[in-house]
Amino acid sequence: MDQSFELLPEQFQINPSLPIYEQFVEAIQGRIVSGIIPPGSRLPSVRDLAAGRGVNPTTAARTYQELERMGLIVTYRGQGTFVTREDAVIGEARKVIMRKAIKEFKAAADTLGISAEQLLEFDKEDSNDTL
């Protein structure tokens, strides 16, 4: 199969404290919503994903099941698995990622005892200092 994208980044590191399939789902979801994996792209088979990443085929299958549940991929019997072409589904997945990032950003600011706005202002000032 000829594809101009990697399903998972080459430098992808597995975090032993989280289920592997969840890490794969998050990474692939991010690559789909960012356009690295374009809509309509054919994905490797479950067996190829498992072999390529050295994981159990059940882990690869669970990854695809979750992505399919989210609507980001579709499987056609006898044809393969493809990224959805539905912009609305991809847009919703992007919003989910943005909400999570904002929540983590605000939590980081809270941990430092400052507001999110103060953290943004620091970033702005720090960026100007490095120019």
Side-chain angles (χ1 to χ4, degrees):
M1 162 182 24
D2 182 37
Q3 60 188 30
S4 58
F5 64 87
E6 289 183 276
L7 189 58
L8 292 165
E10 191 173 314
Q11 71 280 8
F12 185 80
Q13 296 291 316
I14 293 175
N15 178 345
S17 67
L18 297 171
I20 296 171
Y21 87 93
E22 287 180 7
Q23 295 174 63
F24 282 8
V25 167
E26 187 174 306
I28 295 168
Q29 177 186 28
R31 294 172 75 78
I32 291 171
V33 302
S34 68
I36 293 170
I37 304 174
S41 297
R42 185 175 183 179
L43 303 181
S45 69
V46 165
R47 190 176 320 223
D48 288 344
L49 172 59
R53 288 299 169 158
V55 297
N56 188 305
T58 304
T59 298
R62 193 158 180 198
T63 298
Y64 278 11
Q65 288 169 352
E66 182 63 17
L67 289 165
E68 196 153 7
R69 185 193 65 73
M70 297 165 82
L72 288 173
I73 65 172
V74 291
T75 301
Y76 300 105
R77 201 173 215 55
Q79 296 177 30
T81 302
F82 300 84
V83 174
T84 185
R85 292 185 182 275
E86 294 185 40
D87 291 336
V89 172
I90 294 172
E92 276 304 310
R94 182 177 290 114
K95 287 178 185 176
V96 168
I97 292 170
M98 289 189 302
R99 284 184 190 106
K100 181 180 176 189
I102 290 167
K103 185 177 179 180
E104 290 171 357
F105 177 79
K106 287 180 175 179
D110 286 346
T111 299
L112 295 170
I114 60 174
S115 70
E117 292 77 15
Q118 288 172 306
L119 195 52
L120 285 172
E121 186 59 37
F122 172 79
D123 178 57
K124 187 177 176 181
E125 290 170 6
D126 193 50
S127 296
N128 289 335
D129 289 345
T130 59
L131 292 179

